[in-house]
Amino acid sequence: MCLCFLLRRLPEGRAQVLPGLKKQGLGQGRLVGLGGHVEPGESPRAAMREVLEESGVPVNPADLTEMGQSIFRFPARPSWNQSVTVFTAKRWQGEPSESDEIAPQWFEINRLPFERMWDDARSWLPHLLGGRRLSAEIVCADNNQTVNRAELHLPE
């Protein structure tokens, strides 16, 4: 799996991030990062394809910054387990638009509506959006909604 968060700074200096409202599938109704499955033969840089499919904007490979790896474990539903490579991008072409899967929405980084995201986002997303690379293992509770344990490794 791969995720990509588009980042921009407005002329007045406010920093924003582009998650999207998931319209179908796992995470439906939540704000999520743009991304999805890495197809056979693709590298995690498949994030470029996913961003294009989900928001309509092309990202150049040189503009992707790999920020880390996260492992998500769902003990009550192991088929949901996933390893995710997370990227950010500060440059792309065009304006994001809604797709069948995602309705992209800009939010100020310091005002993210975590209550509309997966529970784990509180533990790692602020570090990533602050420019910190990370490695994380998130273990969900039996309800597959809340976090039972979150281990973060933030290299210096």
Side-chain angles (χ1 to χ4, degrees):
M1 299 285 293
C2 59
L3 283 178
C4 184
F5 292 94
L6 300 184
L7 306 173
R8 70 179 182 186
R9 189 163 297 279
L10 298 176
E12 64 272 12
R14 292 179 304 160
Q16 291 188 320
V17 60
L18 184 78
L21 180 65
K22 183 84 162 148
K23 294 165 56 175
Q24 58 187 354
L26 182 63
Q28 182 176 359
R30 297 180 189 273
L31 287 172
V32 298
L34 305 178
H37 292 279
V38 176
E39 302 296 336
E42 285 184 309
S43 76
R45 290 191 176 268
M48 296 176 303
R49 175 184 51 75
E50 290 286 346
V51 169
L52 181 61
E53 289 175 2
E54 294 181 351
S55 72
V57 297
V59 176
N60 187 318
D63 294 325
L64 279 180
T65 302
E66 186 172 332
M67 296 300 291
Q69 296 279 327
S70 295
I71 296 172
F72 297 92
R73 299 196 191 283
F74 294 85
R77 195 162 207 177
S79 65
W80 286 6
N81 290 353
Q82 47 193 266
S83 176
V84 180
T85 304
V86 185
F87 296 90
T88 58
K90 295 180 180 177
R91 291 176 16 146
W92 57 89
Q93 297 173 17
E95 284 299 315
S97 60
E98 188 168 339
S99 67
D100 290 342
E101 197 170 338
I102 294 282
Q105 298 176 290
W106 289 104
F107 291 93
E108 289 187 32
I109 287 176
N110 62 355
R111 292 187 177 161
L112 275 172
F114 287 110
E115 69 280 359
R116 295 177 56 200
M117 304 173 114
W118 283 98
D119 190 46
D120 63 88
R122 285 181 170 88
S123 64
W124 63 272
L125 191 54
H127 297 287
L128 180 127
L129 297 177
R132 301 278 315 264
R133 295 184 189 279
L134 59 86
S135 170
E137 181 176 4
I138 310 295
V139 179
C140 290
D142 286 344
N143 65 7
N144 294 319
Q145 303 294 316
T146 56
V147 172
N148 186 35
R149 180 172 48 88
E151 291 182 21
L152 298 181
H153 303 282
L154 303 164
E156 295 301 320

